[in-house]
Amino acid sequence: MRRKGYAPGVAALLAALVTGCTGGPTDGGTTTESKAGETAGPVAAPGKYRTLYEPCGAVERSMLRDLLPGAAELPEEQQEKIFRGTAAVTYDTDRRVGCSWKADSPDASHNLRIDVERVVSYAQDVSDDQRALEVYTRKQDAAQLPAPAAGGQGGTGAPVTGAPGAGGEPPSGSPTPPGGTASGSPTAPEGLEPRVLEGLGDAAFLDDVLTRAGSTAQHRTVSVVFRTSNVIVTVDYGEQPARVTEIPDSKELQEKAQGLARKLAERFND
């Protein structure tokens, strides 16, 4: 019996379908087919922390009394208002929270601020921890810590970058207001310069900035920034004496700021 032949058009169509199902690319390369629900590559691990604690209630009352000595001289009702703190306005309390306190006394005014940020990476191949490290490193670079004397390593695992003289006199050519130091120039005593801190979170550094403009009193702000996994915490603690001739004590402010930072770090281990 004579076989029935296929029409030329049908034969061409069948050949194309077979080639499309079994054949490879014409350039000799390989192809990777992804099934429904599969990803194109490995997904980076999520961060350790998924939520944040409420910072206004994170500082013990006894510590707040020490950090804000002027509040102890006020009536009980005013003390409660100060110690309650003012929560920062944020749009997602699982991503960022903050709180601030301020107390004035006849001798000096003190201010305290806490900022807590949970970093999330939206890149499939970059983990939350990696992204948090990038954010932390930018903060450390912006502080312009003085380079270690012996070329030591910073808390990020890389050499500390910073402008020479950042821990003492302002660089040559920097404008200096009459009767004071250039605004934003750290002037901590020797041994208390801005530096990387050990044993605080995964990485940490301290900045110490003394500002003065014109004839106003000098204001010192000590900042301690640390990273633990995908969370970055910043503690800013400042003092401004009432007398123009007085300079806030670096050692005392640094010790108190570090003490609070270490207490906050412990909360992530609970």
Side-chain angles (χ1 to χ4, degrees), residues 16-97:
L17 290 174
V18 171
T19 301
C21 292
T22 62
T26 58
D27 60 0
T30 59
T31 59
T32 302
E33 294 187 57
S34 297
K35 297 179 180 180
E38 290 185 347
T39 57
V43 178
K48 179 179 180 180
Y49 303 104
R50 311 303 293 270
T51 59
L52 298 173
Y53 55 72
E54 197 282 306
C56 287
V59 187
E60 297 176 359
R61 183 63 59 92
S62 59
M63 181 167 281
L64 283 174
R65 290 183 183 278
D66 185 45
L67 293 165
L68 308 169
E73 305 171 10
L74 300 174
E76 187 68 25
E77 184 177 341
Q78 294 184 39
Q79 287 188 41
E80 288 298 321
K81 183 178 180 180
I82 290 174
F83 292 144
R84 193 179 306 126
T86 302
V89 177
T90 62
Y91 297 99
D92 186 350
T93 54
D94 284 335
R95 288 290 306 277
R96 192 161 200 160
V97 292

Side-chain angles (χ1 to χ4, degrees), residues 125-140:
D125 58 343
V126 179
S127 69
D128 293 346
D129 280 23
Q130 288 175 295
R131 187 68 73 205
L133 176 58
E134 293 174 5
V135 174
Y136 170 85
T137 301
R138 286 197 296 268
K139 289 178 179 289
Q140 179 173 305

Side-chain angles (χ1 to χ4, degrees), residues 162-187:
E169 294 300 321
S172 176
S174 298
T176 302
T181 59
S183 177
S185 298
T187 55

